[in-house]
Amino acid sequence: MTHIHEQSTVNTSYPDTRLPLPAASSSAVSWGAIFAGAAAAASLSLILLMLGAGLGLTSVSPWESRGLDAGTVGIAAIAWLTFTQIVASGMGGYLAGRLRTKWVDTHTDEVYFRDTAHGFLAWAVAALVSAALLTSTVGAIVGGGAKIVGTVAGGAAATTAAGAASMANGPSAGPGSSMNYFVNSLFRANNPATPANGAADPASPTAAPVAPSHQPVSPAQLGEVTGIFANSITTGALPQDDRQYVARLIAQNTGISQQEAEQRVQSTYDKAQAKLKEAKEKAQQAADAARKTTSYLMLWTFISLLAGAFVASLCATFGGRQRDL
């Protein structure tokens, strides 16, 4: 018993000289580094987008012979968007990899995977923050430039579409509408060089003075004819009864024959229908061009975001290697 007690006393008298091992990280994700990289990426994206919008507005002019055309501005916008994504995402990924904690006793492949994941998460958080908080700001900036470009490039199409709408609205469209123009042209007085109903030439010395046979058209008659034209253009055909009725009104108010009045009605109706068809075609072309532009913009936005995710992951691995040196 005495020997055992002495041995235990001797063993406990020496101090423990072993060094403590570094404590392993409790988590493989450094959220602080990820959020720091995401904040830097989002801020840099906003600054670059504002710079690109300012440079784009300086290249657009309302004058036809000045400034860049819409195609060139669109290509430049896509290139700048891709550049913005690459630079901002690269900066955010590098910061996320450089600021993360050092992983002890971790395999090299695992470290590479974690750095890649940190870069991707920093890009994802930056994209979500930009979509949630910066949509209104960036949308106002980019939307303002898009409105200017659209006004310069599609002014003619918008004007034609407005004319088509005024024709379809009929008399409620106002006195300056296209429909009122066609209706007023129906009641124009006959050319004095060719007197109506085969009357003698008033310039002839033997001709007797001819009293004017036309009557001023009333606003009610103009409104009635306008309604007939608007309805027939909407349905696509002018009924014979309506054509004869309008021709009688024209003959009474202009002094031309019933046959000439019917010919005038049909000719004017064909012109109005052709103008409406042209307006519809231009409106459809403008809508199709807008659809294609939106589709291309969404496609290139997807490509630029994908490039940003790749660059962020790559730069995070580079920053992680710099951190572990």
Side-chain angles (χ1 to χ4, degrees):
M1 294 292 295
T2 303
H3 178 73
I4 295 173
H5 178 71
E6 292 176 355
Q7 184 69 24
S8 63
T9 304
V10 172
N11 290 339
T12 56
S13 62
Y14 292 98
D16 190 0
T17 59
R18 293 176 298 175
L19 296 176
L21 294 175
S25 178
S26 59
S27 175
V29 181
S30 299
W31 286 109
I34 291 174
F35 284 118
S43 301
L44 187 57
S45 296
L46 177 60
I47 294 174
L48 291 178
L49 284 177
M50 293 178 65
L51 176 61
L55 294 176
L57 291 178
T58 58
S59 63
V60 178
S61 175
W63 306 105
E64 184 178 0
S65 59
R66 300 180 183 178
L68 300 177
D69 58 352
T72 304
V73 173
I75 295 174
I78 292 173
W80 186 260
L81 178 62
T82 305
F83 172 78
T84 299
Q85 274 294 313
I86 291 176
V87 173
S89 300
M91 174 64 70
Y94 178 80
L95 290 178
R98 190 67 183 268
L99 297 178
R100 52 95 172 159
T101 58
K102 186 175 183 179
W103 297 300
V104 182
D105 295 335
T106 305
H107 196 272
T108 305
D109 294 338
E110 180 65 20
V111 173
Y112 182 82
F113 172 78
R114 292 182 182 182
D115 285 335
T116 304
H118 275 65
F120 179 80
L121 289 176
W123 167 84
V125 173
L128 292 176
V129 170
S130 300
L133 301 179
L134 306 179
T135 300
S136 59
T137 303
V138 176
I141 296 173
V142 178
K147 287 181 180 179
I148 295 177
V149 175
T151 302
V152 174
T159 303
T160 307
S166 66
M167 290 179 63
N169 290 333
S172 62
S177 64
S178 298
M179 181 60 68
N180 285 336
Y181 167 77
F182 287 112
V183 172
N184 290 328
S185 67
L186 291 173
F187 293 93
R188 290 174 182 173
N190 193 37
N191 190 346
T194 57
N197 300 327
D201 188 356
S204 175
T206 59
V210 179
S213 59
H214 61 34
Q215 301 174 358
V217 60
S218 64
Q221 291 175 336
L222 285 176
E224 185 179 10
V225 175
T226 301
I228 292 174
F229 262 54
N231 179 71
S232 61
I233 288 179
T234 304
T235 58
L238 179 62
Q240 184 177 1
D241 295 341
D242 290 340
R243 182 171 64 251
Q244 293 177 352
Y245 174 74
V246 174
R248 284 196 299 269
L249 292 178
I250 295 173
Q252 293 174 3
N253 289 273
T254 61
I256 64 176
S257 64
Q258 177 72 17
Q259 183 179 3
E260 291 175 343
E262 290 185 8
Q263 293 177 356
R264 179 183 291 189
V265 171
Q266 188 63 43
S267 176
T268 305
Y269 173 79
D270 293 340
K271 291 179 181 179
Q273 196 172 34
K275 184 175 178 62
L276 179 60
K277 183 179 179 181
E278 181 183 0
K280 287 183 178 180
E281 289 179 354
K282 289 187 177 181
Q284 290 174 354
Q285 291 176 359
D288 187 64
R291 178 189 61 81
K292 290 181 179 179
T293 301
T294 304
S295 176
Y296 291 151
L297 179 61
M298 293 298 102
L299 177 61
W300 282 105
T301 302
F302 165 77
I303 294 175
S304 64
L305 289 174
L306 194 63
F310 174 77
V311 172
S313 301
L314 183 63
C315 291
T317 59
F318 178 73
R321 284 197 299 266
Q322 296 292 320
R323 166 68 177 83
D324 292 337
L325 291 180

